Amino acid sequence: MDRPDRPDPTDRPDPTDRPDRPDRTDRPQTVGQLAGILRQGGYLADRGLATALFVGLSLQRPILLEGEVGVGKTEVAKVLATVLGRRLIRLQCYEGIDTNQALYEWDYARQMLAIRALSERQVADDEAVDKLFGPRYLLERPLLEAVRAGDQAVLLIDEVDRADDEFEAFLLEVLSDFQISIPEIGTIRAQTPPLVVLTSNRTRELHDALKRRCLYHWIGYPPAEREVEIVLVREPGVSHTLARKVVAAVNRLRELDLAKPPGVAETIDWARTLDFLGGDDFTTAAAADTLGAVVKERDDLELVRDNLEEITSGG
Ligand SMILES: Nc1ncnc2c1ncn2[C@@H]1O[C@H](COP(=O)(O)OP(=O)(O)OP(=O)(O)O)[C@@H](O)[C@H]1O
Ligand SMILES: [Mg+2]
């Protein structure tokens, strides 16, 4: 499912480089510029990803990122928020998540305290009771927070495939019009929508309706040179030689039939661990000692140990 190697985007003229565009200083003007500021933030995006993000940002469309485990889906939203100077609002999805946890809840504890403090006369007074369902007692959850923050925020809806169907349908509704109705308070609408990044590990297929609303991008494992660069950006202390050897070995691991193939996160971890223990030395023995950084399943460990000589040779 990996993408073929692509030439470095900086080598090609940038078709989004249009001098006739009105100048907006609050967001990058070209795909290249966006890739550049992401790089400054420590994230290396290939041309396809940078383009999807640029279009999403410019045309206010949500972006759906699918891909292997540990290839930088969540990280790109975090780095985007940092480099754009926006607030990161994260909605972590899980089985059984419901609308209360995503939108808002009433602060029952404070409401109870307030009720106790009411005198008998006040309890009979509608206005005093109405206040109990006012903004003071409203607990914002990520979606409401994001609607309120508008384009000052990056909304990360992480691992949406873990949520169930009904929740996905509800998300679709929120993403359609960025407004939330609270019966006791009224409708809250985003002036300009936040940048929305959804991620999925494809533990189940998402619905077409949700996909249709989003720009879709698949993040595969990066080509070897890019992965070496990612290791060096994330772990500047690691030598180029060690990074190259580790990336070569990880790529061989990915060719084995592992239950949990290593992602970029594991490559970085392995390089960091080896560097900590002994610099550039990437012997079979050193690899065997540090496999825990990169292989996280018992059966996988056995398979890898049986092929370790081959995995660590060359690079
Ligand atoms: N293109 C990249 N540039 C810089 N760092 C990267 C890149 N891709 C991955 N990483 C590194 O890999 C780590 C793991 O990435 P992240 O957690 O975003 O993966 P993920 O795709 O969300 O994984 P999961 O599916 O497990 O949630 C990040 O902390 C980051 O250090
Ligand atoms: Mg993630």
Side-chain angles (χ1 to χ4, degrees):
M1 281 198 257
D2 219 336
R3 289 273 171 95
D5 290 15
R6 299 234 174 118
D8 188 329
T10 46
D11 292 337
R12 282 190 281 144
D14 191 338
T16 56
D17 230 336
R18 296 222 326 246
D20 56 315
R21 288 240 170 128
D23 187 39
R24 292 264 317 270
T25 45
D26 56 342
R27 62 173 170 77
Q29 297 298 298
T30 65
V31 173
Q33 234 177 54
L34 178 59
I37 61 168
L38 282 171
R39 176 181 282 265
Q40 282 166 20
Y43 191 92
L44 307 190
D46 67 13
R47 179 82 189 177
L49 176 58
T51 306
L53 297 172
F54 177 74
V55 175
L57 198 54
S58 308
L59 303 184
Q60 300 178 343
R61 294 273 307 274
I63 299 143
L64 170 61
L65 300 176
E66 282 195 329
E68 310 289 352
V69 172
V71 288
K73 301 182 295 295
T74 302
E75 184 71 10
V76 71
K78 294 186 189 169
V79 174
L80 254 181
T82 308
V83 298
L84 295 175
R86 295 183 178 205
R87 184 147 50 105
L88 178 78
I89 298 173
R90 180 173 184 166
L91 175 64
Q92 176 65 50
C93 297
Y94 51 88
E95 213 181 312
I97 187 173
D98 65 27
T99 51
N100 285 344
Q101 286 131 6
L103 277 182
Y104 66 90
E105 282 173 288
W106 291 106
D107 190 342
Y108 291 123
R110 289 192 62 225
Q111 281 173 323
M112 288 308 291
L113 287 174
I115 290 168
R116 280 202 194 169
L118 290 180
S119 63
E120 257 180 48
R121 192 176 50 76
Q122 283 172 313
V123 171
D125 170 9
D126 274 353
E127 204 177 313
V129 175
D130 282 351
K131 271 195 189 152
L132 292 170
F133 288 92
R136 269 190 77 184
Y137 300 97
L138 191 69
L139 293 175
E140 277 188 359
R141 297 296 178 224
L143 291 180
L144 178 58
E145 204 185 331
V147 164
R148 283 212 166 121
D151 65 1
Q152 299 302 301
V154 171
L155 171 63
L156 166 63
I157 303 179
D158 212 12
E159 306 188 347
V160 65
D161 52 326
R162 290 183 182 216
D164 46 36
D165 280 8
E166 294 90 74
F167 189 76
E168 199 183 314
F170 153 77
L171 268 183
L172 187 65
E173 224 177 278
V174 175
L175 295 182
S176 306
D177 38 35
F178 282 101
Q179 64 175 38
I180 290 171
S181 293
I182 304 174
E184 298 86 350
I185 292 182
T187 299
I188 299 167
R189 190 173 288 113
Q191 296 293 331
T192 22
L195 174 65
V196 183
V197 178
L198 298 107
T199 80
S200 159
N201 281 342
R202 286 227 306 195
T203 54
R204 67 172 175 84
E205 268 299 315
L206 300 178
H207 288 272
D208 284 349
L210 185 73
K211 285 188 174 168
R212 223 175 298 128
R213 182 145 298 280
C214 301
L215 295 167
Y216 178 86
H217 185 76
W218 171 266
I219 305 188
Y221 298 122
E225 327 81 80
R226 182 179 294 277
E227 194 163 2
V228 169
E229 233 190 312
I230 293 173
V231 172
L232 297 176
V233 165
R234 290 281 158 171
E235 288 297 321
V238 170
S239 76
H240 193 276
T241 316
L242 180 62
R244 207 166 31 78
K245 287 179 181 170
V246 170
V247 167
V250 167
N251 274 296
R252 276 183 217 118
L253 288 178
R254 287 178 189 148
E255 284 163 15
L256 295 179
D257 196 17
L258 299 182
K260 293 232 158 50
V264 179
E266 281 71 33
T267 314
I268 297 169
D269 252 3
W270 205 9
R272 182 194 297 134
T273 309
L274 284 159
D275 176 64
F276 173 71
L277 291 177
D280 286 355
D281 241 9
F282 189 60
T283 57
T284 307
D289 289 345
T290 53
L291 273 184
V294 72
V295 182
K296 314 272 169 105
E297 283 275 322
R298 186 167 178 268
D299 292 346
D300 287 352
L301 265 179
E302 278 174 23
L303 182 61
V304 171
R305 285 222 173 89
D306 290 346
N307 294 280
L308 205 54
E309 196 89 40
E310 197 190 322
I311 288 163
T312 52
S313 65

